Amino acid sequence: MLCTLLHPDLTVGFVKADQEEHNRLSAQSTVDTAKTEQELALVTRQLDRTLNAITQGMFHVSMRSKIDTLEAENVN
């Protein structure tokens, strides 16, 4: 049984399958990271715009909930 598990053809197949899975997971991680960075940039821009509006005297009470939501997303 042990000789069968260590057969070179099986080892090569295992290594190839393992490398393919590693590459797939690595590519997905890269996509996920890029998506998260884009979302963070969007939230940051929205916060900046909202704060700029407030400093220019355009504050309205309804803006408070939007600010709270954006800050919560920015933390996560």
Side-chain angles (χ1 to χ4, degrees), residues 17-42:
D18 184 61
Q19 185 63 44
E20 288 172 354
E21 180 65 6
H22 173 76
N23 291 343
R24 185 188 70 77
L25 291 172
S26 179
Q28 184 61 48
S29 177
T30 300
V31 169
D32 292 345
T33 298
K35 183 179 177 184
T36 300
E37 288 173 351
Q38 288 175 343
E39 291 171 355
L40 177 60
L42 175 64

Side-chain angles (χ1 to χ4, degrees), residues 59-65:
F59 180 76
H60 188 273
V61 176
S62 63
M63 294 171 73
R64 184 74 237 164
S65 64

Side-chain angles (χ1 to χ4, degrees), residues 41-57:
L42 175 64
V43 168
T44 300
R45 283 193 307 272
Q46 290 175 332
L47 274 170
D48 289 344
R49 289 179 190 147
T50 303
L51 293 174
N52 286 336
I54 291 169
T55 59
Q56 294 174 12

